[in-house]
Structure formats: structure tokens, C-alpha cells
Amino acid sequence: MAFFAKGRIFVAAAVAALGLATGAQAAASCGKNGAGFDAWKQQFAAEAQAEGVGQRGLSALAGATYATRTIAADRAIHKAFSGSVEAFMKRRGGAAIISRGRALKKQNAAMFDKIEQNYGVPPGVLLAIWGMETGFGASMGNQNTVSAILTLAYDCRRPDYFTPHAIAALKLVDRGALSASSVGAMHGEIGHTQFLPGNVLKYGVGSGNLRDRNTALASTANFLKGHGWRAGASYEANMGAIAGWNSASVYQQAIARIAEAIDAD
């Protein structure tokens, strides 16, 4: 799925949560094409090192390339969330997500019960997000994660937003949760439910390996809980938590409708 505001962190919150210095962020100059990317990487390496990124992360930074497909996807992102919620659900296969989600809920009842006990988040919304993001793990993306997120941190459109996630991605390489060759979605999202790197650091549970189904679903529940999910409340009452996952109104409404249908079964 193309990035819109998935797991969105406002810039000030991201700086505080990930321990980044605003002055450091301003040191590297942004660019509007790939011409200055290599020079920017050299500047950014000093910032990353100052923020605690180690040798493995710095090596991944040095090997990153300008991700032209990521830039193309970023420029077209708003088209993916246009139109009515009904049209959006049809484009995204809402009926199929509901059908498959109901089956997976029954097949994995013990896992979903444990997640709900731990985080207060019911299976419907997790299955709705999982199905919407990657078709239940069938399509987690083939874009190089480090290159994608670094390209977005370099790009002049939203460098302040993506810089914390770029630092986080390099820290995940240091930890072994990512490698220089890891792939994911076009905007650097990772795993079954497509976390941005900063959110992996903040909300990832267990090993933090979001390509593991159980870890990804538990981490998604932890994210929703962290964004105000109220156990036992209706989906309408929990729309604020869903909005934390993605700021597009049609996406939020589709997730709520799909989740309700799955949980009603």
C-alpha cells in the first residue's frame, strides 16, 4: 500500500520520541531530484552518527540509492484515497478482506484472544488493517527499505517528517531487525501491517520483526492502544485510534466497516 499517513507521528512528537535534535535535522540540505543524493548522504551520516547510529547502520546508509519509484509513488499518493468510501472499498477488495478475515479469525482464535487480552484490541480491526495493507501478508513490497526512507528524508517535500524514520531505519539495521537489503513498501513501510521504521522502534513488540505475522499483529494492537484505543468501545468511538494509523478519512471508514463485519461473524 502506498503511504498516506500510516502510523503518523507529528514532527515534534517524532523528534522527542526518537531522540532527534532539531538542529541536526536541519544540517543536511534537501533535494528535488537524485543529483544531490550522494552528497546529502555524506552530510546525513554525520547526523546519524551523532544520533547513535552504529557502523552497520552507517554502512547501509552509504550503500543506499536514490529511489525513483518511491518518489513517483509519493507524488501520486492522494489519488489512492480519492472518492467515496464505497468506491475505495471496492477498489481495495473490501468484500474479499471480510471473507478471508472471518476465516483467519476462526483459524487463529487463540492468537487473537491473547492479543485482545494483552492490548484490549479486538481481532476485526487487526484483520482489516492486515488485509488492507498487504492482503494478509501476500504483498509486503519489493522496494529497498533503507533507500526508500532515506530518499524521502532527502526529498524536499517532507524531510522533517521522514528524517526521524530514516534514523530509526538505520538503528533497526544496527539491531539486526533490518538489513541493507531488506525490502518493503514504497515509503519504507515494513512487514505484514506496514509499519514505518520509527513506529517499529516505538510500538514493535517482542523481536520487532514485523515480517513475523504474530509479532506484526501484536505490534499493531500495541500501536492502536498507544493511540487511545478503548477496550470494549465501538468502532465509532475508536476512530481516533484508527486515524492515528492512517489520516485518510476513506481509509478510516473502510477499516471500521470491514472490522465490524469481521467481528460480527
Side-chain angles (χ1 to χ4, degrees), residues 105-124:
K105 177 183 172 182
K106 292 177 181 177
Q107 293 166 14
N108 300 278
M111 177 188 68
F112 284 113
D113 285 347
K114 183 178 180 180
I115 290 174
E116 187 164 10
Q117 289 170 12
N118 289 339
Y119 302 101
V121 178

Side-chain angles (χ1 to χ4, degrees), residues 121-226:
V121 178
V125 67
L126 301 177
L127 286 156
I129 290 171
W130 188 19
M132 184 73 75
E133 297 293 349
T134 65
F136 304 106
S139 180
M140 289 189 273
N142 60 6
Q143 175 66 290
N144 183 277
T145 298
V146 172
S147 291
I149 204 72
L150 286 170
T151 297
L152 291 166
Y154 159 74
D155 184 61
C156 285
R157 187 172 176 218
R158 288 172 292 172
D160 287 341
Y161 178 76
F162 282 105
T163 291
H165 292 295
I167 294 291
L170 299 179
K171 289 183 176 181
L172 289 171
V173 173
D174 282 334
R175 295 182 182 189
L178 284 179
S179 74
S181 60
S182 291
V183 296
M186 284 296 175
H187 285 73
E189 307 98 327
I190 301 164
H192 279 267
T193 55
Q194 303 285 269
F195 269 58
L196 284 167
N199 291 329
V200 178
L201 284 183
K202 189 172 183 180
Y203 298 104
V205 301
S207 67
N209 176 15
L210 277 295
R211 295 187 76 86
D212 173 73
R213 179 197 67 176
N214 293 25
T215 301
L217 293 170
S219 298
T220 304
N222 190 37
F223 178 99
L224 292 170
K225 180 181 179 181

